[in-house]
Amino acid sequence: MSASTSADTIAQRGHCAQQAELVDRIARLTVAGDGVHGTDVRQLHLIRMDRPTECSPSVYEPRLCVVAQGRKVVTLSDRVYHYDPLNYLVVSVTLPMIGQVVEATPDKPYLCLRIDIDPAEIARLIVDAGQSPPGERLREARDGVGMDLGLYAARVNATLMDAVLRLMRLLDTPQDLPVLAPMALREIFYRVLMGDLGHRLRALALNDSRSHRIAKAVTMLRQRYLLPLCIEDLADELHMSTSSLHHQFKAVTTMSPLQFQKHLRLHEARRLMMIDGMEAVAAAHRVGYESPSQFSREYKRLFGAPPRAEVSLARGLPLG
């Protein structure tokens, strides 16, 4: 066996040991069953599913997801992303997506950790680490050249997994969390920033970049999704032309600002029906639709079925 082959074998064994430890730690902290479990670290959540799920529409806030076991698929418009123990997922701006756990059993459940991302923390970390791109790369970021989608999957490496495990181990000693958890989180984000696709996260945190303006536009639409949208006014607030806003917004989110707002409204209407038990007409009116028939058409186009049928199916209820 050559020296390089031996080193690869040792590295692979180390990765398997890291994955096994992460599986064990998440499993022990999610014995209560399927769903999202909070932890003593505010930004850290653990997810467990004992069986595959149906497609589940949701609005994903900025987050980092690391899968320990099983596999999940997320869809954004017509783009499909797979993440499993070999990959992690980063959502750098708020995006309405559809997720589905496709590999999970009671013996080997889907296990994942989610760390919520505060863009302001990322910006501070970039400054502290001296990672603002110089020269030509900074000009490209400012001009919006080569802007990337606000969602990506990348390979998990040993250094990132080490940082994730250090955070998970801290849950065993709650007295250490106030001091050490922020340091562990910073290291995790640092490892992501230093990864092959970390430039996508860096560009969105640069205050004078076009990507940062689009992230701000996403936040504004998220906060004002019930209000009528005037693209010209939004562009003026962001100091952009309307054509530039439309083009750059679509590059980051795959949607126009108007489509994005519509998706937010439809996702909120679905939540109102699913969680609050609101009737379709009332939910449509609540999110700004004046025409129930238009709401039903657009709802079916996004979720694949009319409101009542889709909600009943998601709840596992008979249709009539």
Side-chain angles (χ1 to χ4, degrees):
M1 181 183 294
S2 67
S4 61
T5 302
S6 178
D8 290 342
T9 301
I10 292 171
Q12 185 176 7
R13 288 174 181 169
H15 182 78
C16 290
Q18 289 176 319
Q19 182 186 344
E21 180 182 352
L22 188 59
V23 166
D24 178 68
R25 289 184 175 277
I26 296 177
R28 284 193 285 111
L29 292 170
T30 58
V31 291
D34 285 3
V36 180
H37 301 258
T39 71
D40 289 335
V41 178
R42 178 179 54 82
Q43 300 102 309
L44 175 64
H45 305 268
L46 307 176
I47 299 100
R48 178 190 186 116
M49 299 301 298
D50 286 345
R51 53 188 52 82
T53 65
E54 300 293 334
C55 293
S56 176
S58 183
V59 177
Y60 284 52
E61 302 291 350
R63 63 185 57 174
L64 162 69
C65 297
V66 178
V67 175
Q69 184 170 268
R71 187 161 61 93
K72 185 173 183 178
V73 174
V74 292
T75 304
L76 175 63
S77 296
D78 59 347
R79 306 189 188 197
V80 179
Y81 296 81
H82 298 258
Y83 59 110
D84 53 30
L86 298 178
N87 297 283
Y88 62 92
L89 186 80
V90 172
V91 182
S92 55
V93 295
T94 300
L95 292 170
M97 295 188 289
I98 296 176
Q100 181 180 22
V101 173
V102 295
E103 187 177 301
T105 66
D107 292 335
K108 295 188 67 176
Y110 170 80
L111 300 171
C112 174
L113 67 83
R114 186 189 89 205
I115 301 175
D116 297 335
I117 295 176
D118 180 351
E121 290 183 9
I122 299 298
R124 287 192 294 269
L125 178 58
I126 290 171
V127 172
D128 293 345
Q131 289 299 317
S132 297
E136 188 63 30
R137 289 180 61 199
L138 179 57
R139 285 193 294 274
E140 290 180 359
R142 286 173 175 162
D143 296 339
V145 176
M147 288 181 64
D148 293 301
L149 190 64
L151 166 71
Y152 65 91
R155 301 283 289 184
V156 174
N157 57 39
T159 55
L160 175 58
M161 187 65 84
D162 277 341
V164 167
L165 285 173
R166 274 192 286 278
L167 177 63
M168 290 295 296
R169 290 168 190 153
L170 285 173
L171 297 175
D172 292 340
T173 56
Q175 68 275 15
D176 295 333
L177 290 175
V179 174
L180 298 182
M183 297 168 62
L185 287 167
R186 277 173 63 86
E187 181 181 358
I188 289 169
F189 293 137
Y190 176 79
R191 297 301 179 188
V192 173
L193 286 167
M194 294 300 101
D196 292 340
L197 298 177
H199 65 278
R200 297 191 181 189
L201 202 53
R202 287 197 295 273
L204 286 161
L206 288 171
N207 286 330
D208 55 354
S209 72
R210 290 288 178 100
S211 294
H212 180 80
R213 292 178 189 173
I214 297 306
K216 186 176 179 181
V218 167
T219 299
M220 293 163 67
L221 286 174
R222 179 76 162 131
Q223 294 169 342
R224 309 173 188 174
Y225 72 98
L226 294 177
L227 301 176
L229 174 62
C230 177
I231 297 295
E232 291 77 10
D233 290 346
L234 181 62
D236 285 344
E237 286 190 69
L238 297 166
H239 307 292
M240 300 176 70
S241 68
T242 54
S243 60
S244 179
L245 170 61
H246 187 279
H247 175 74
Q248 305 298 349
F249 194 96
K250 194 164 187 177
V252 173
T253 69
T254 75
M255 293 171 255
S256 70
L258 186 60
Q259 289 172 323
F260 187 86
Q261 184 194 53
K262 184 185 298 182
H263 280 217
L264 290 178
R265 288 181 170 183
L266 292 170
H267 276 269
E268 175 61 11
R270 185 179 189 274
R271 189 195 68 79
L272 290 170
M273 291 184 289
M274 285 285 297
I275 306 301
D276 297 347
M278 191 174 289
E279 292 296 325
V281 173
H285 182 72
R286 176 73 66 85
V287 301
Y289 280 87
E290 296 181 359
S291 168
S293 59
Q294 181 187 3
F295 170 71
S296 183
R297 286 195 305 272
E298 294 183 352
Y299 191 100
K300 181 179 179 180
R301 190 177 301 125
L302 180 60
F303 298 125
R308 181 172 177 271
E310 195 274 335
V311 170
S312 296
L313 180 64
R315 290 175 174 169
L317 299 175
L319 296 181

